[in-house]
Amino acid sequence: MPSETSDVPPPLAATASSGLKIAVAGGFGVGKTTFVGAVSEIAPLRTEAEMTGASIGVDDVAATPAKTTTTVAFDFGRISLDDQLVLYLFGAPGQERFEFLWQRLFTGALGAVVLVDTRRIEASHASLDRVEAAGLPFVVAHNVFDDEDEVFGLDTIHESLSLSPDVPVVRCDARDRTSVRDVLVRTLDHVRQAAALHTGVPL
């Protein structure tokens, strides 16, 4: 019998019959890989590569000087919501040069989380544009970094991103499992509300 401290991930329940796909988007270095890894019940699949001199002048690391790797395809994680329902997380690369991957990652997704870093909020615009173009209901999550000089109000973030009134903005710590879980719960609630609004039938 395995001990309670075993690092072996739980197997997918034999009764699992339904899967929900949520995309995790946002600018370069905003915390998407950390977000997926914090909540995944399995060791997350990561496609990170060492940053090289080719990224100089292309990837803005001013706000994340310690960052040495970057996602070049996607991050993948899994969460069993109950014995039948499984949530699959797909983290999209943040740089626009990987935008050819975004459409495939968004295909089949019910909704999305868009992480933002208010120290460079303009870096979120491309991801927001792509998620909106895909027609996905989404939640904006402000990932709070320790060295932020000022933590802006959620209404201020909403306004600065020119979001539609129905788009929720929440606060999160991408390193914290409980915080990430709360964002995903809010996202699923928003997806259900959007489905009920457009089809008249709740998800």
Side-chain angles (χ1 to χ4, degrees):
M1 183 174 181
S3 68
E4 293 183 359
T5 58
S6 173
D7 291 331
V8 177
L12 187 63
T15 54
S17 58
S18 299
L20 303 176
K21 179 179 179 180
I22 296 293
V24 181
F28 170 75
V30 77
K32 300 179 295 296
T33 299
T34 303
F35 183 96
V36 172
V39 78
S40 178
E41 67 190 15
I42 61 173
L45 171 64
R46 293 171 173 164
T47 55
E48 291 199 306
E50 290 290 330
M51 295 174 64
T52 67
S55 68
I56 297 175
V58 178
D59 297 331
D60 182 5
V61 297
T64 55
K67 186 172 178 60
T68 60
T69 61
T70 184
T71 299
V72 295
F74 62 90
D75 300 309
F76 172 77
R78 186 191 83 198
I79 311 161
S80 295
L81 301 179
D82 56 34
D83 289 340
Q84 295 182 319
L85 192 58
V86 182
L87 184 65
Y88 297 103
L89 301 177
F90 286 79
Q95 301 96 313
E96 290 188 59
R97 66 178 181 276
F98 294 121
E99 64 178 322
F100 64 93
L101 293 169
W102 294 356
Q103 184 174 354
R104 291 188 179 184
L105 291 175
F106 293 163
T107 299
L110 292 179
V113 176
V114 180
L115 291 175
V116 300
D117 177 353
T118 57
R119 298 171 301 173
R120 46 198 179 94
I121 203 163
E122 68 286 346
S124 305
H125 293 162
S127 295
L128 286 167
D129 290 344
R130 288 292 177 177
V131 169
E132 290 177 338
L136 296 178
F138 64 94
V139 167
V140 169
H142 169 213
N143 185 24
V144 182
F145 286 83
D146 293 336
D147 60 348
E148 289 188 26
D149 294 329
E150 179 181 1
V151 177
F152 295 97
L154 297 180
D155 289 342
T156 300
I157 296 172
H158 196 288
E159 182 178 354
S160 65
L161 291 172
S162 301
L163 299 172
S164 298
D166 63 314
V167 175
V169 179
V170 298
R171 201 90 67 190
C172 83
D173 181 344
R175 302 165 298 184
D176 182 76
R177 180 181 179 85
T178 299
S179 181
V180 173
R181 181 202 62 194
D182 290 345
V183 172
L184 293 173
V185 168
R186 183 68 185 90
T187 302
L188 291 175
D189 285 343
H190 183 57
V191 167
R192 292 190 185 100
Q193 293 167 8
L197 179 65
H198 288 94
T199 67
V201 179
L203 184 67

